[in-house]
Each structure stands twice: as C-alpha cells, then as structure tokens.
Amino acid sequence: MNLPEENDPPLQINIVPMIDVIFAILTFFIFSSLFLVRNEGISVNLPQAATAQMQGQAEINITIDRQGRIAVNKEFIPLEQIEVKVGKLILPKQQITAIINADTAVNHGQVVALMDKLRSIPGVRIAIATRKI
C-alpha cells in the first residue's frame, strides 16, 4: 500500500473542467430555447413575403387549409359561424389579434370573405401569416 509521503503535493480535485462543461450545457439550452416555436394551427403552405415581420403572440389562430376549410384554434367551423365563435373568445372592451393562416392554394375571395366577417367583430385586429423569404 502506497501512503503519501511528506514531500508529495497534496491531492486536489480540479473543478474547472466541470464548470466548463456545465456552462457549455447551459449555453446549449439557452440557445436552443431561442429557436423553439409554439406551433398552433393546421399545417398550411403559407405565402412568402419579403417584408414579413414578427408579431406578438397571437390570441386567436384562424386557418384556411388547402381544401378551404376554416378552423378557429384547430376547431373546424363553417364561415357563417365565425362571428359567433370568435365573439365568444373576446372579453368586453378587449383588443385581440386574429392571425389568418391561409394556404397559398386558397381562393382569394374566401380570404376576403373571412376578413370581412372578422372586421365586423368589435375588438378584433387582423393579421395575415406569411413566411419570410
């Protein structure tokens, strides 16, 4: 059995490499969380726009899929019921943003009809989702 002699340096635990590893892991999680996107809605092929800008968190997501079906927060409803459905989601004297996610294959007239219905609801602001080029 080897016992430490008086001339041997004392044993030490070097924690600097462990701190480096912890900071590397912390950095990874911070950067990866920046790229997390909350994906709400139905998969659609959004049109592209060079001037697209990020908006605040949407409170209501309205999607028109390739077949022309309309969904409010993932629940399919007919166009005639859009005012009632969205109206129930708004508190009195509240301003909310309704984000329209329309597939590129959707007829322009259907998007305009939806926007017309949404504009008749007090307190609703309209935004159209696009992909940045």
Side-chain angles (χ1 to χ4, degrees), residues 29-88:
F29 283 118
I30 289 172
F31 280 114
S32 63
S33 68
L34 295 175
F35 295 104
L36 293 177
V37 176
R38 196 170 98 180
N39 192 4
E40 289 185 23
I42 295 149
S43 178
V44 292
N45 186 16
L46 294 175
Q48 294 182 350
T51 59
Q53 297 177 352
M54 291 295 293
Q55 298 292 320
Q57 185 64 32
E59 296 184 28
I60 298 176
N61 282 303
I62 301 174
T63 305
I64 305 177
D65 66 3
R66 184 175 283 276
Q67 291 80 27
R69 298 178 301 171
I70 298 173
V72 175
N73 293 339
K74 298 183 184 180
E75 180 184 334
F76 287 102
I77 62 168
L79 179 62
E80 296 78 29
Q81 295 179 5
I82 196 82
E83 293 165 299
V84 175
K85 178 70 175 174
V86 173
K88 289 179 182 177

Side-chain angles (χ1 to χ4, degrees), residues 67-115:
Q67 291 80 27
R69 298 178 301 171
I70 298 173
V72 175
N73 293 339
K74 298 183 184 180
E75 180 184 334
F76 287 102
I77 62 168
L79 179 62
E80 296 78 29
Q81 295 179 5
I82 196 82
E83 293 165 299
V84 175
K85 178 70 175 174
V86 173
K88 289 179 182 177
L89 298 173
I90 302 173
L91 298 174
K93 298 181 182 177
Q94 179 187 20
Q95 284 280 11
I96 63 166
T97 302
I99 305 263
I100 299 174
N101 300 287
D103 195 281
T104 56
V106 173
N107 183 350
H108 180 70
Q110 189 172 9
V111 176
V112 171
L114 174 64
M115 290 173 68

